[in-house]
Amino acid sequence: QHEAVCKHLGVMTPAQIRRLRADLRLSRTQLARLTGLGEATIARWERGSLIQNQANDRYLKLLGHKENVKRLMDLANKVG
């Protein structure tokens, strides 16, 4: 049912979010640090206990492009 709601809203499903993170080879902690998103929030999206809003969904989709991840990593290295 959760997956159907995600598809209806046009947002990534929990499985797609887990796959994205796996493709990036990042732990939840690493993804949270990289993006500024909360680790617990990412876990909720991946478990399907919370559906991300449109803005965060677009952010996740942008992470599907390696060059965007590289840019975020570069920014993180400059800051911290």
Side-chain angles (χ1 to χ4, degrees):
Q1 188 178 24
H2 183 92
E3 191 166 317
V5 172
C6 288
K7 288 182 180 184
H8 175 74
L9 295 174
V11 299
M12 294 175 73
T13 66
Q16 289 171 318
I17 296 170
R18 288 190 305 270
R19 188 170 35 255
L20 171 67
R21 188 171 56 77
D23 289 347
L24 295 173
R25 294 188 174 120
L26 296 173
S27 67
R28 282 186 190 143
T29 301
Q30 291 169 320
L31 182 61
R33 285 185 188 145
L34 178 67
T35 61
L37 296 167
E39 187 176 345
T41 298
I42 295 168
R44 289 182 191 107
W45 293 342
E46 289 185 350
R47 280 194 315 266
S49 58
L50 180 68
I51 296 175
Q52 66 280 12
N53 64 29
Q54 190 72 273
N56 284 324
D57 188 71
R58 289 178 181 172
Y59 189 19
L60 291 172
K61 288 175 180 171
L62 286 171
L63 295 175
H65 301 278
K66 302 283 186 188
E67 63 273 13
N68 292 331
V69 176
K70 182 185 179 321
R71 287 181 182 127
L72 281 177
M73 288 181 174
D74 289 346
L75 284 172
N77 289 334
K78 287 180 185 177
V79 173

